[in-house]
Amino acid sequence: MKYFQPIDETMPVDQLRELQGRRLADVVARVYRDVPFYRRKLDEAGIRPQDIWSIDDLAHLPFTTKEDFRDTYPFGLLARPMSDIVRTHASSGTTGKPTVVAYTRADIELWADCCARTLACGGADRHSVVQVAYGYGLFTGGLGMHYGSERLGAMTVPVSGGNTRRQLMLIQDFGTTHLCCTPSYALLLAETADEMGVDLRKTNLRAGYFGAEPWSGSMRRAIVDRLGVEAFDIYGLSEVIGPGVASECCAHAGMHIFEDHFYPEVIDPATGKAVPDGTRGELVFTHLTKEGMPLLRYRTRDITRLEHGTCACGRTFARMERVSGRTDDMLIVRGVNVFPSQIEHVLLEIEGAEPHYRIVVDRRGRLDDLEVQVEVSPQLFSDEVKEMEGLRQRIANELHSTLNVNAKVTLVEPRSIPRSEGKAQRVVDRRQMETS
Ligand code: DLL
């Protein structure tokens, strides 16, 4: 199956813009009427709902931020009475309270459709066996993909994250064709399969839907090679709906944003102004159809760029490039801006370095110290001190020329960096721990 909802997914663009404009006018009227937070914000900006006619009017609307969630915690952004809410999810913040989101029954239906679209994008259909190895619970990954798989009519295996050996048993015994998990967990599955003598390339596994965390092109190559699957990047966030916001199709030319429901913009994070199409910036979403907690111009902090134009797959929806970082994950080390994704990119291009690493930032005296701990491949982890030292030097040199800052490189034993069954935690910032 190529599309789940072909009429929507391949709608001519002028028709799509018209639909988006109508839906925008409707959602603005709804939040103005039903959410005191938005009524105040719109009043302050001097905007009356009747001023909003078309999707081009979006730029006049105020932004919504993560801080607004914190200030209205937990249910201050609800646009419906509690009695209409049937589900809540939450994403754990780095500090303090989680970000809470709420769904009406119609929102759950919409979510199932969008996750079914995601699965269809990667070729799954009612004959598929879909193993959902994202965590079930307050995290949206498990339940989102679960409902999507059922909506598609596939056989759904709700195994959740963890219990890696059992995951591998099920892949073999149930003939799993499609796997859903984080890219870092996919690598742990591959590693464990090696230990158990299981060749994943000989199973029925055909495709994987990997997301919920950033991953590089080199990590993709490692996954494709070791699991023997076609890899699809899938993107989403709790505040928008969970997974099912955007997904890669078989053309592998970016992720289609389901923009009949979630309207995307890319802005310059410093000025808040839209950037020209194809330029990197911060991704912003406006809900067009959600009922429980619709948001206007929500700033995701994710950095990407958009491309418009019909894709080889026939979909007309805008495509977003792989997320290259977050506006808030930038580390400032001795005054130099460092993105963890740059470090990963360097490491994965170097033979002998494994895609398992940890970045530790500390403060010694008044200076910041950057340490990069890298696992080496079992083949290279030898007593040959000279070889190891050569690799260490090579990594240090490459990091210096990319980052423009000196990093202490520590090579660590194979499998000594903790593995993750969900989102990988790669950065340990001890400077923040001291102050908070
Ligand atoms: O991670 C939803 C999800 C579940 C997406 C399963 C895909 C698959 P949150 O926990 O709210 O929701 O985290 C959202 O994760 O703002 C991005 O920074 C990051 N993220 C999600 N997908 C990707 C991706 C889920 N494909 C945050 N690439 C987002 C890079 C991603 N980062």
Side-chain angles (χ1 to χ4, degrees), residues 217-341:
S218 356
M219 200 153 157
R220 172 188 289 254
R221 286 196 291 280
I223 291 173
V224 167
D225 182 47
R226 297 179 68 175
L227 276 80
V229 293
E230 187 170 355
F232 295 92
D233 195 357
I234 69 169
Y235 170 87
L237 62 164
S238 319
E239 297 90 314
V240 174
I241 203 153
V245 175
S247 28
E248 200 176 327
C249 68
C250 298
H252 298 287
M255 293 179 270
H256 288 284
I257 298 174
F258 301 135
E259 58 167 317
D260 49 342
H261 299 293
F262 320 114
Y263 188 82
E265 298 169 90
V266 172
I267 59 161
D268 176 336
T271 63
K273 296 268 175 285
V275 297
D277 215 24
T279 309
R280 279 209 186 90
E282 180 181 353
L283 184 61
V284 172
F285 280 108
T286 298
H287 282 122
L288 299 177
T289 52
K290 240 177 125 196
E291 292 182 345
M293 214 183 244
L295 303 175
L296 303 181
R297 305 191 84 200
Y298 180 67
R299 294 183 62 157
T300 65
R301 303 181 181 184
D302 290 322
I303 300 167
T304 186
R305 59 177 164 209
L306 294 184
E307 196 178 318
H308 289 90
T310 306
C311 176
C313 74
R315 286 180 183 81
T316 46
F317 292 156
R319 278 164 285 160
M320 61 182 269
E321 182 188 64
R322 171 167 64 80
V323 173
S324 60
R326 289 178 55 84
T327 55
D328 56 357
D329 74 355
M330 187 180 76
L331 297 164
I332 304 178
V333 181
R334 301 190 181 187
V336 179
N337 300 348
V338 174
F339 284 96
S341 55

Side-chain angles (χ1 to χ4, degrees), residues 14 38 52 65 91 148 154 161 183 202 243 269 287 316-318 320 336 354 372 414 417 435:
D14 48 349
Y38 276 122
I52 305 299
T65 62
S91 67
K202 296 212 173 97
H287 282 122
T316 46
F317 292 156
M320 61 182 269
V336 179
E354 290 282 280
V372 180
I417 304 247
T435 51

